[in-house]
Amino acid sequence: MAFWKTKKGQWGMLTAGSAILGLLVGATLLNPPTAHVQAEGNGEQVQQAHLTTAHGWSNDLQTIVWNDAGYYDVYFLHSEDGATNPFGSSGQDWVHTTTSDFLHYGEQNSAIPASGGDDTQGWQSAWTGSIVTNTGNIPNVPVGAKVAYFTGIRKSDKTQNIYASYSQDNGRTFTQPLNDGKPVADVSNANNKTDFRDPAVYYWQNKMLMYVAEGSEIGVYQSTDGVTWSLADPSGGSKILASTFFYGHSWDGNAPVECPVIKTMQTPSGESKQVLIFGAKDASVGETTGTYYEVGHLDANGLFVTETTAKRLDQGSDFYGANTNGSDTIDTVNHSLIALGWVGNWNYFTTGVHTDQNASSEFVHRLGSYSSAREVQLTDGLTLTSSLMIPKAATRDSVTYSNVTKDAPKSQSGQQWVDREDTNGHVYGLYDIPNQSAAQYYQLTFSSSQASYKGRIYIDIWQGEDYVRFNYDPSNGKYNVKAYAAELNNGTNGQVSSDYYRNGLLGNGNGYLADSGLSGQQSITLTVVTDTNSVEFAFPNGQIYTVSRFNTSGVQDFKIFTEDPDNANQVTITQANLQ
């Protein structure tokens, strides 16, 4: 369950990221274009080609489970009380849906009720967890039945505890609590006696392991029957410390570790490693909350031992509460994983989002969507790469515009190319088509006739007053993303959330800074997937940046600008409406 107890420190100064800042702000940036689409929305935050909650508010992606009936079961955390009161009296529940292509999703139903179990020791709100298939070791549960382990807020004392319930309908609902509806693991196991959530449960070496988020630590527990749990390391604290799972980063004590996921993956050369994925934040380098990972192995007790530094699975500000498919047995190797993340950030998703761009209407009630599915693989260098999974059917009607340059005709195949120069006289507007559907797929290949591509690339995406602006320097791989959403303007709290959305921890007008790790290329292909409430920028080396949008308009303006200091650059554009 992703929940920040305090926002103290969210405006921390940039330190290690200052070098990136200097590389980006030295250039003259484009002034915002004056002509852009007039947004017309219906007040609903609804994606056209991505998973969105059918009603209320949602956040963490619980898990993705293959169903032998021929589809994936997908689960996410949901609040009936809506975006402005996600921890309201109705509590939170798990919602279930299905998909076969991660573009179209089936009917949504409540999978784990917001209240259940024992009258006093049961739960009154069901938070994040995981699912395993009973191999026969869990008593009084049919072999092959799916069993959900999840955080519950105990009715008697409102503490976080771990509960379990199994499904009688092949994973659609989980209505049969284990342990008579009482916790199977208690918050007293946590050193801080407060944080005890997001259990990730797996089979490993003839027993079960449970990884639990416990503030600045990950507790690890073992069981033979799935009901009675004890320390995985009985001679020690059985905790994975931040110095291990967040190695190479500065731990922010106000931002707890959340949503641990552990999988075994194999490199192309055949080496098997354990990968730990989790939610965290490193304010010291200007990183907001996000999904990180480390690669390593398990010790004799099943505790994760890192072999790498922690890296972000998605470099963006809005990819959190992520989870994957894959085996529920750590002994089984996954050659690749399918990952989905919540397109959201706690610093502006619970302060109130207006339904219009004047910030004068009521707040939205329905809010919560998820990223494009991405295939995740482990390289020989022990890094994870991600590629957006866009079904071929979604791009079957794509159109390609080749060799678009600053010297291209004003009109090409009915599309308008607009020359626009910056104050230095060398930024050119190449592509500017208003009133496109907001659900789009773009493949942009920037190339140079010389040895390497020179000059920055700018992509501006507008919805009414709102924008997402991408500024990339291919020569060094650095880029920044700036975004503005009028719907976040909401008095004092709204100003804070609006500024955080636009500037993150920097607060200096230069947005979020990142390093693609890809530089000095003669040709580079960027994939951009947009929808009403999200934008994803994907690099060819497996890095992705995800950012949320809050406009309800189903149309957008998509603009491409480039520098061309040597008169050697061109771009080929392939575009399709997502279907």
Side-chain angles (χ1 to χ4, degrees):
M1 169 62 191
F3 175 54
W4 302 109
K5 299 177 63 177
T6 174
K7 295 179 182 177
K8 182 179 178 182
Q10 69 180 29
W11 303 110
M13 296 298 293
L14 177 72
T15 54
S18 298
I20 301 176
L21 176 62
L23 289 168
L24 287 171
V25 300
T28 301
L29 301 182
L30 294 172
N31 291 321
T34 56
H36 49 268
V37 63
Q38 178 61 42
E40 295 181 0
N42 61 3
E44 289 278 6
Q45 300 283 323
V46 181
Q47 299 275 65
Q48 300 180 51
H50 293 78
L51 177 60
T52 303
T53 181
H55 50 82
W57 182 85
S58 67
N59 58 315
D60 296 353
L61 197 289
Q62 300 301 290
T63 192
I64 304 167
V65 179
W66 173 251
N67 194 303
D68 290 337
Y71 53 81
Y72 290 96
D73 290 303
V74 179
Y75 306 85
F76 60 84
L77 200 56
H78 166 262
S79 173
E80 186 62 35
D81 292 315
T84 56
N85 190 26
F87 302 112
S89 59
S90 297
Q92 291 197 272
D93 64 338
W94 282 30
V95 166
H96 163 262
T97 186
T98 61
T99 186
S100 58
D101 61 3
F102 293 97
L103 187 68
H104 305 93
Y105 291 86
E107 180 182 358
Q108 298 178 15
N109 66 275
S110 181
I112 298 178
S115 180
D118 184 78
D119 290 342
T120 59
Q121 297 300 307
W123 69 92
Q124 66 177 21
S125 193
W127 290 0
T128 289
S130 59
I131 293 174
V132 299
T133 298
N134 180 29
T135 61
N137 64 304
I138 305 176
N140 303 315
V141 175
V143 175
K146 295 179 173 65
V147 183
Y149 289 84
F150 58 96
T151 306
I153 303 303
R154 184 157 52 193
K155 297 172 182 177
S156 61
D157 58 10
K158 309 301 185 289
T159 59
Q160 300 174 18
N161 299 275
I162 309 304
Y163 295 83
S165 189
Y166 75 88
S167 175
Q168 293 181 307
D169 53 12
N170 197 23
R172 185 176 187 273
T173 62
F174 296 82
T175 58
Q176 303 299 312
L178 275 60
N179 198 32
D180 297 323
K182 300 174 183 177
V184 297
D186 189 275
V187 69
S188 62
N189 289 285
N191 284 332
N192 66 9
K193 309 303 180 187
T194 300
D195 298 297
F196 197 68
R197 58 181 180 266
D198 308 347
V201 178
Y202 304 94
Y203 288 99
W204 180 68
Q205 296 187 356
N206 300 315
K207 61 183 177 181
M208 301 177 78
L209 288 181
M210 179 192 295
Y211 276 46
V212 181
E214 301 178 8
S216 62
E217 303 169 337
I218 298 176
V220 185
Y221 305 89
Q222 64 179 342
S223 175
T224 56
D225 64 3
V227 177
T228 302
W229 294 84
S230 61
L231 296 179
D233 179 4
S235 62
S238 203
K239 311 294 183 187
I240 306 171
L241 305 181
S243 58
T244 293
F245 68 77
F246 214 38
Y247 181 72
H249 284 264
S250 297
W251 181 254
D252 182 346
N254 295 306
V257 62
E258 296 189 303
C259 307
V261 176
I262 188 164
K263 300 290 183 181
T264 298
M265 301 189 71
Q266 191 174 79
T267 67
S269 62
E271 186 177 18
S272 293
K273 293 290 183 181
Q274 275 74 53
V275 178
L276 177 65
I277 302 171
F278 56 93
K281 172 173 121 177
D282 186 352
S284 70
V285 292
E287 293 176 351
T288 184
T289 53
T291 300
Y292 295 79
Y293 72 91
E294 279 195 317
V295 181
H297 62 275
L298 302 190
D299 68 14
N301 296 304
L303 274 66
F304 180 81
V305 179
T306 187
E307 299 176 23
T308 68
T309 58
K311 301 179 180 66
R312 285 173 81 95
L313 184 62
D314 184 293
Q315 295 185 318
S317 55
D318 299 299
F319 186 85
Y320 196 67
N323 216 308
T324 73
N325 72 330
S327 175
D328 61 4
T329 302
I330 298 178
D331 302 303
T332 299
V333 170
N334 299 276
H335 296 281
S336 66
L337 299 171
I338 299 172
L340 286 174
W342 172 48
V343 181
N345 187 304
W346 281 91
N347 289 285
Y348 35 78
F349 262 70
T350 57
T351 56
V353 181
H354 288 278
T355 60
D356 67 3
Q357 296 212 276
N358 297 320
S360 60
S361 68
E362 64 181 8
F363 296 131
V364 300
H365 183 81
R366 177 180 179 180
L367 182 63
S369 61
Y370 299 86
S371 69
S372 298
R374 64 259 329 245
E375 182 182 20
V376 179
Q377 295 179 304
L378 180 63
T379 71
D380 286 331
L382 301 187
T383 61
L384 293 182
T385 61
S386 302
S387 57
L388 297 177
M389 297 172 58
I390 307 299
K392 290 183 178 179
T395 60
R396 64 175 180 268
D397 296 324
S398 63
V399 59
T400 299
Y401 310 104
S402 297
N403 302 331
V404 180
T405 71
K406 66 182 178 61
D407 299 317
K410 293 289 184 177
S411 178
Q412 179 174 328
S413 301
Q415 311 304 320
Q416 298 300 312
W417 316 112
V418 180
D419 288 332
R420 184 180 289 112
E421 298 182 356
D422 74 347
T423 54
N424 293 330
H426 59 244
V427 172
Y428 302 92
L430 301 183
Y431 177 94
D432 185 354
I433 305 179
N435 299 315
Q436 301 180 49
S437 168
Q440 292 285 321
Y441 163 85
Y442 303 90
Q443 188 177 80
L444 314 174
T445 300
F446 297 89
S447 59
S448 171
S449 60
Q450 299 188 1
S452 61
Y453 192 99
K454 296 180 181 178
R456 282 179 169 79
I457 294 168
Y458 306 90
I459 299 173
D460 286 7
I461 310 170
W462 289 82
Q463 291 172 300
E465 299 176 23
D466 295 355
Y467 60 78
V468 173
R469 306 180 71 192
F470 174 85
N471 168 6
Y472 173 52
D473 187 346
S475 67
N476 57 37
K478 309 297 195 302
Y479 66 99
N480 75 343
V481 177
K482 295 190 292 187
Y484 171 75
E487 292 80 4
L488 289 178
N489 293 330
N490 171 27
T492 302
N493 290 335
Q495 190 62 42
V496 171
S497 63
S498 181
D499 287 347
Y500 196 98
Y501 174 70
R502 187 190 303 190
N503 299 317
L505 297 163
L506 301 174
N508 59 9
N510 288 287
Y512 292 88
L513 309 179
D515 185 347
S516 69
L518 189 67
S519 61
Q521 306 293 302
Q522 185 174 9
S523 176
I524 183 169
T525 298
L526 299 176
T527 300
V528 185
V529 173
T530 68
D531 207 336
T532 305
N533 299 128
S534 66
V535 178
E536 296 162 294
F537 299 96
F539 294 87
N541 64 342
Q543 298 296 327
I544 300 178
Y545 189 104
T546 301
V547 59
S548 60
R549 302 199 285 188
F550 296 93
N551 200 293
T552 58
S553 173
V555 294
Q556 67 185 14
D557 292 357
F558 192 95
K559 306 171 187 292
I560 302 173
F561 308 89
T562 64
E563 297 174 342
D564 191 1
D566 297 331
N567 197 31
N569 296 342
Q570 63 186 27
V571 58
T572 298
I573 304 168
T574 299
Q575 177 185 354
N577 290 320
L578 289 179
Q579 301 173 20

